[in-house]
Amino acid sequence: MSNIHAGWRPKRLVIAVAAAGVLSACSLAPVQPMEPLAVPAAWKHAAPAPAPGWASASQARAWDAGQWWRLFGDPVLDALAARVELSNQDLKLAAANVAQAQALLREQQAQRWPQVGAQLVQQRSGGDDRAATGSASLSLGASWAPDLWGRIRDAVSAQSASVQASEADLAGARLSAQASLAAAYLALRETDAEIALMDEIITGYQRAAKITQNRYDVGVVPRTDTFQAQATLRGAQATRVALQRSRAAYEHTIALLVGEAPATFSLPAAPWAGVAPQVPAEVPSLLLLRRPDVAGAERAVSAANARIGVARSAYFPDFSLSASLGAGAGHLADLVSAPSLLWSLGLALAQTVFDGGARDARVDQALAARDAAVARYRQAGLAAMKEVEDQLSALATLAEQAGHARASADAAERIEQQMLNRYQAGLSAYTEVVTAQAGALSARRGLLQLQLQRQQAAVALIQALGGGWQAPWLETPAPGVAPPR
């Protein structure tokens, strides 16, 4: 920094400041927007509402579509989901990352303003052979580096997009935790249903073993029949123990998701509906743009684009203005009545003349980073489309499969009863009873597992669509844009 020449006048400096303010509106970031993400006009396994072929994730900045888990009609699940929002530590981590990004944004924005400082000095000196003397000084200084080439503006834009990306990460963590909770809770309730089924089966096997023992006691059947009956009963009891182990693991997972130690958390057994929510016939493809990972990737592109402008600004000189005002006296009390004030106004201009291509390399890095962000954005969109198609296909096939499995379970139960009746009448061997029992048990458990798979596919579809199949922003289209029908 250097003092201005005596021939300058303050008004000339004001003119320079005004010119700097006008130039600070410049930005060196590319102005051509990225081509928006292509969304499908129709799903392969569903009939969505017609939608424009191209749209930007900025149309879907609100990711929270509401309490989608209420579609399952389970008040216990509703209460657990509320606890996830309050106590899940992954969400607290993501929220802290958002707060950190916001603080960095405020730091970037503060660079737009002048820096003002003050200094007050009181000194006293002396020695054995001279009298003590003192001095005091008070000075005020200000400096400002106008954003001539848009470096600060682009840095603020980049950090603002990073804040939005952090908010998308928070929304993604929330949706992931909610979906994980729903999947674990539904699996626990299906396990409860399997345990209840095994209790019923074990009771039936105990009756069958008793019948077999009675028939052996009167010499009607061989000893092997009692062995088979006991083996079947013990196998069912072992299966029940394994189901209890699985239930405990699901309960521990739920405890972790709601932020509680597994040792202090428990869920009593309860009935399970086993019904998946009905997916509407039309699922708008624009719902993809609400997905937190897609929206966050789009914001990352904006941030990378703005950093190109930051890198390009290094080609131009740095310009700063400064001013100071001060007074000096022998004592601190005399500063107010000091006979004269010292002032200075100055400007500084700095330009890198040669850097061996370092600035070119930084610009190339920024351009490559933007291209990488675009690729990640498009890959996120393609992955989202795949996940939606996967779950739509799964729901369609699982519904048909469950219908067949229900009919198979009914038939297997009738066969089991008929084989037991025939055995009691002495018309068949006990091996036929065992085979019928195993078939009936497998069919009934398979039906329960298919019902769970349908529910979990619905949860996965909700997660793939970013939180359900409602899109509030589609209900209020921009002027001149017809709403999808």
Side-chain angles (χ1 to χ4, degrees), residues 48 52 57 81 119 173 217 228 244 250 287 315 405 419 476:
Q119 186 179 38
D217 291 340
Q228 287 179 325
Q244 286 284 12
Y250 292 132
L287 287 169
Y315 287 121
M419 288 298 101
T476 55

Side-chain angles (χ1 to χ4, degrees), residues 348-368:
L349 193 66
Q351 171 65 47
T352 301
V353 177
F354 177 76
D355 63 2
R359 285 171 295 180
D360 294 340
R362 285 192 289 270
V363 171
D364 290 342
Q365 290 174 32
L367 290 168

